[in-house]
Amino acid sequence: MTNFVTKQSFILADELATIAMGKRIADLVKSELQQGITVYLNGDLGAGKTTLTRGFVQGMGHVGNVKSPTYTLVEPYDLAEWQVYHFDLYRLADPEELEYMGIRDYFNERSCSFIEWPEKGTGMIAVPDMVIDLAYSDEQRTMTVHADTVLGQKLLLALIS
Ligand SMILES: Nc1ncnc2c1ncn2[C@@H]1O[C@H](COP(=O)(O)OP(=O)(O)O)[C@@H](O)[C@H]1O
Ligand SMILES: [Mg+2]
C-alpha cells in the first residue's frame, strides 16, 4: 500500500521546537481531523511530555498557563469547540481511582486527551490513536510517533507531509 506509514521519528532541537511540534499537532487536529484524538506519551522524567502537551493545549486555543497535573491526575481545558484533557498518571496508585473520576465521560468526538504514564491507567483509558515516545540527549529530543488507528495514521501522514 502506498502512503502507509505507521512510525516516524522527529528531532526536536530545543524546548521551543517541542512546543512548536505540540502546536503543529493541534493545528492538524483542527484542520485535518476535525475530531478528537487520544495520545499516549512515553519517556523518562524530563523527556518533554509536559512541554509537548503545553504546545498542544495552547495550539488548541488555551491562553495562559499549562501546569503539570502531577498531583491532580488530570487538568481539563474547556475551550470553545474542544475539551482538552492533560493526564499525568504517574502518581495513580490504582486504575480504579479513574472510575471514581468519571473517566469514561472524558473520551468523545470533541475531546483530545494527552496522557503521560498511560501504563498506570491500563484498562481504564481509551486506546490511543497515536503513541509518542520522547527520548533525550542534552537539549535535543527525539520524538517517535506510532500511529495506532486510522485517525492516528491520518495525523501522522499530515505531520510528515
Ligand atoms: N528539546 C527539548 N524539548 C523539551 N524539553 C526540553 C528540551 N530541551 C530541554 N528541555 C527541558 O527539559 C524539561 C522537560 O520537562 P517536561 O516537559 O516537564 O518533561 P516530562 O513531562 O517528560 O517529565 C524542561 O525543563 C525543558 O526546559
Ligand atoms: Mg510531565
Side-chain angles (χ1 to χ4, degrees):
M1 208 196 285
T2 53
N3 282 341
F4 195 79
V5 180
T6 56
K7 185 179 159 185
Q8 182 74 38
S9 290
F10 303 81
I11 301 293
L12 304 170
D14 54 24
E15 185 173 355
L16 283 181
T18 301
I19 290 172
M21 178 58 83
K23 288 189 171 155
R24 176 125 190 271
I25 293 171
D27 286 343
L28 294 173
V29 166
K30 292 187 289 185
S31 65
E32 302 289 322
L33 302 189
Q34 297 169 359
Q35 65 170 286
I37 48 161
T38 300
V39 176
Y40 287 6
L41 297 163
N42 296 323
D44 295 338
L45 279 176
K49 303 181 294 297
T50 296
T51 304
L52 183 73
T53 305
R54 181 170 295 132
F56 179 77
V57 168
Q58 290 171 347
M60 292 302 286
H62 172 72
V63 179
N65 261 3
V66 176
K67 53 185 181 193
S68 188
T70 307
Y71 295 95
T72 51
L73 297 178
V74 62
E75 193 65 42
Y77 297 90
D78 198 2
L79 306 174
E81 290 181 65
W82 302 92
Q83 280 98 48
V84 176
Y85 298 106
H86 177 197
F87 290 90
D88 182 341
L89 303 182
Y90 188 69
R91 290 179 187 275
L92 184 68
D94 181 348
E96 288 276 298
E97 271 180 57
L98 295 171
E99 186 90 65
Y100 305 128
M101 283 169 53
I103 185 95
R104 283 169 214 283
D105 300 334
Y106 284 61
F107 303 102
N108 62 66
E109 285 255 306
R110 302 309 288 176
S111 74
C112 293
S113 292
F114 271 49
I115 309 175
E116 301 184 44
W117 304 98
E119 64 271 30
K120 301 258 185 180
T122 300
M124 299 299 298
I125 55 179
V127 296
D129 296 297
M130 287 198 326
V131 176
I132 295 179
D133 296 320
L134 287 156
Y136 60 94
S137 54
D138 300 326
E139 286 295 285
Q140 192 167 294
R141 303 293 190 270
T142 304
M143 176 180 96
T144 304
V145 178
H146 308 252
D148 290 310
T149 62
V150 171
L151 205 59
Q153 168 81 52
K154 198 171 167 187
L155 184 52
L156 178 56
L157 271 179
L159 206 52
I160 61 180
S161 56

